[in-house]
Amino acid sequence: MENKKSSSGFVKSIKQYAGPLTILVLLMVILWITTKGFMTTNNLISVLRNICVNALLAAGITCVIIIGCIDLSIGSTVAATSVIAVVLNTGLGWNVWLSVLIAILAGGLVGALNGVIRAATMLPPFIITLATQQAIRGAGYIFTGGSPIVSTNETFNAIGMSSVLGIPVIFIIMVISLIIVGLILGRTRLGRHMYAVGGNMEAAKHSGISYAKVSVAAYTIMGLLAGLSGVIMASRLSSGQPKIGEEYSTDAIAAAVIGGTAFSGGFGTIFGSFLGACIIGVLNSGMTHLKIDSYWQMVVKGILILLAVYYDSIKGKIKIGKKKKAVA
């Protein structure tokens, strides 16, 4: 019996991720055939480095979308925390790991603020995070004068470029982070409550689930991952960059939706969002190798998001139709 259950669970998982896995494999095969340098070891390691930030942000935005919300302040949080990390470890000479921790916690604080405002006012998440996006970005410009702050701390800078057995350290950090968030979503009461709120907020409230706690938790996870992303970006660039991250929200949302996260809320997985981030990363690398103009790359990603959301809506309608037939 146990073998049958485990095998059926495996088959179900394969079916669940069949779409993004197929797209990823096809993309890699096409790029292998059409480009010379895509499948080289150096380029694949570069792709691994480049997907780290988007995968972390996609995981965070997955938690937020699952509860039926959105977060547009991601990029500003990444920029602000990159500056905080460098100012602390280089400008003030603080311990590297303490500066990293404070930067990550600062991101979590921004996320918690978004969650508190959402729970207290029930304003549209789009408006709330658009406002915090502008406020945080503006504060970063005021503090830095709009200019990068260079990091001279070699230990900090090594975080973004070091490898273990050929695998980038930041990729390992990303994998560990995604596993933790995945366990929170799939194996804890908080995770079950997040899915319940996204599936039916009113029913969740009537069953005793605190929307405020769920909202703050989801946005705090998002903020912590954005803070970690800011640290990674600062270490890779050897500087705190107040101007980075303007497109990060778009890429993260694209990765999450391509990975199967329902834009209407109530459904999504961290592994699916990781696959979505891989697709975006491979697509970016491939279009660069094919020498496609950066503006056209934006057009392609925009169309990809539209198709993913449209596919999600079709899937939702099919499920509703099946439920109605079953009831009838």
Side-chain angles (χ1 to χ4, degrees), residues 57 60 64 71 73-85 88 99-115 129 132 136 216-231:
L57 297 177
V64 173
D71 190 349
S73 66
I74 297 172
S76 296
T77 304
V78 171
T81 52
S82 78
V83 169
I84 290 170
L88 293 180
S99 66
V100 166
L101 177 61
I102 291 174
I104 293 172
L105 291 177
L109 185 62
V110 172
L113 177 64
N114 282 331
T129 57
T132 52
I136 296 165
V216 172
Y219 273 106
T220 299
I221 292 171
M222 176 73 264
L224 290 170
L225 293 176
L228 178 57
S229 299
V231 169

Side-chain angles (χ1 to χ4, degrees), residues 140-254:
Y141 286 155
I142 291 169
F143 184 76
T144 62
S147 301
I149 300 177
V150 177
S151 170
T152 58
N153 191 304
E154 293 182 6
T155 303
F156 178 77
N157 296 341
I159 296 172
M161 300 309 297
S162 299
S163 298
V164 176
L165 301 176
I167 302 173
V169 168
I170 56 174
F171 184 81
I172 297 171
I173 292 171
M174 177 211 73
V175 170
I176 293 171
S177 301
L178 297 195
I179 289 172
I180 293 170
V181 178
L183 289 173
I184 291 172
L185 276 179
R187 299 297 178 88
T188 68
R189 179 182 292 182
L190 172 61
R192 292 192 293 273
H193 287 182
M194 288 167 67
Y195 283 112
V197 165
N200 190 321
M201 187 192 298
E202 290 305 316
K205 286 181 179 179
H206 287 308
S207 64
I209 296 174
S210 169
Y211 180 78
K213 289 180 181 178
V214 170
S215 175
V216 172
Y219 273 106
T220 299
I221 292 171
M222 176 73 264
L224 290 170
L225 293 176
L228 178 57
S229 299
V231 169
I232 288 173
M233 286 305 301
S235 65
R236 289 195 67 188
L237 300 171
S238 298
S239 61
Q241 299 273 353
K243 294 183 179 180
I244 61 171
E246 292 182 355
E247 75 288 357
Y248 286 2
S249 291
T250 304
D251 283 357
I253 293 169

Side-chain angles (χ1 to χ4, degrees), residues 32-117:
W32 181 26
I33 295 170
T34 57
T35 66
K36 291 182 179 180
F38 178 78
M39 290 299 286
T40 62
T41 301
N42 287 339
N43 185 64
L44 292 177
I45 290 174
S46 176
V47 171
L48 289 183
R49 291 187 193 278
N50 290 336
I51 68 172
C52 290
V53 165
N54 192 29
L56 287 168
L57 297 177
I61 203 71
T62 297
C63 294
V64 173
I65 294 175
I66 281 172
I67 69 167
C69 294
I70 200 69
D71 190 349
L72 301 181
S73 66
I74 297 172
S76 296
T77 304
V78 171
T81 52
S82 78
V83 169
I84 290 170
V86 174
V87 167
L88 293 180
N89 74 61
T90 295
L92 299 180
W94 287 21
N95 175 275
V96 171
W97 306 114
L98 180 60
S99 66
V100 166
L101 177 61
I102 291 174
I104 293 172
L105 291 177
L109 185 62
V110 172
L113 177 64
N114 282 331
V116 168
I117 295 173

Side-chain angles (χ1 to χ4, degrees), residues 12 27 102 209 274:
K12 188 177 180 181
L27 260 180
I102 291 174
I209 296 174
F274 168 70

